[in-house]
Amino acid sequence: IIESMARNPETDHKALVIFALVGNDVCSGHTDFSHMTTPEDFQTNVLESLEYLNSTLPAGSNVLMVGLAQGEVLWNAMYNRTHPIGCTYEALYDYLNCLQISPCWGWMNSNATVRALTSLRARELSAVYETIIANYSFANFEMAYTPFPLPEAIKIWTDMGGQVYELIEPVDG
């Protein structure tokens, strides 16, 4: 996706790039942990992307790296609610996992240990961004990091009287 960005570093204005992978590196159709990106591979992949951005962004640009989402929110908010197809989200998630077609086995899972280990990996990957910022620099952009702002959005929404499930697309996943 990143290579689809068309920029001319000589003639374009500086840019703000939001680098947000959300959950791609911990979510897949595989029903095991071995297909989750390791922190080492994540760092290599992010650095490759940043090198590409450095070659295409005009000087003075900024890259904001956003940590991976707190995907356990999906389970906590939805598992006991009714999915639009008529069963609970928990039953749907288990069914998708049984068929080995879940888009995110780690977070869309009735097994609390699996969800916790997926969240742990997401936090490990998010920490890589801060390591990169502390140890690397690029000629054409400055870098910053922010955690995925889901807890803040949930707080604002619930303080206004909303329910967490209302923030999630009913057919998400």
Side-chain angles (χ1 to χ4, degrees):
I1 293 174
I2 201 161
E3 292 181 6
S4 67
M5 185 178 74
R7 302 293 302 179
N8 182 329
E10 303 303 321
T11 60
D12 287 349
H13 294 283
K14 59 187 176 182
L16 170 61
V17 175
I18 309 295
F19 195 97
L21 301 176
V22 185
N24 293 352
D25 288 271
V26 296
C27 289
S28 73
H30 299 282
T31 56
D32 60 46
F33 296 104
S34 68
H35 288 85
M36 291 182 184
T37 305
T38 64
E40 297 78 18
D41 287 344
F42 188 79
Q43 180 167 323
T44 298
N45 295 339
V46 170
L47 287 171
E48 286 176 9
S49 294
L50 294 174
E51 289 290 348
Y52 177 80
L53 288 174
N54 195 48
S55 72
T56 59
L57 291 175
S61 292
N62 292 280
V63 175
L64 176 62
M65 297 180 220
V66 180
L68 275 71
Q70 300 83 8
E72 65 273 11
V73 169
L74 181 63
W75 172 266
N76 294 340
M78 304 302 283
Y79 78 95
N80 61 351
R81 301 196 58 78
T82 302
H83 187 277
I85 66 170
C87 64
T88 64
Y89 282 83
E90 179 177 14
L92 177 63
Y93 295 166
D94 286 344
Y95 183 66
L96 294 174
N97 288 331
C98 178
L99 295 177
Q100 297 184 351
I101 60 170
S102 175
C104 192
W105 169 80
W107 279 324
M108 297 168 63
N109 198 310
S110 60
N111 184 318
T113 302
V114 169
R115 293 192 312 272
L117 290 171
T118 302
S119 292
L120 174 62
R121 177 57 58 89
R123 288 189 302 274
E124 291 170 347
L125 298 181
S126 293
V128 169
Y129 288 129
E130 294 177 285
T131 300
I132 289 172
I133 290 170
N135 294 294
Y136 294 87
S137 61
F138 295 89
N140 287 335
F141 58 83
E142 296 293 323
M143 298 177 286
Y145 170 79
T146 188
F148 196 89
L150 190 54
E152 294 83 356
I154 288 172
K155 180 170 179 5
I156 291 167
W157 184 248
T158 57
D159 285 352
M160 292 174 21
Q163 299 292 316
V164 176
Y165 77 88
E166 295 170 315
L167 295 174
I168 299 170
E169 172 61 38
V171 294
D172 185 31

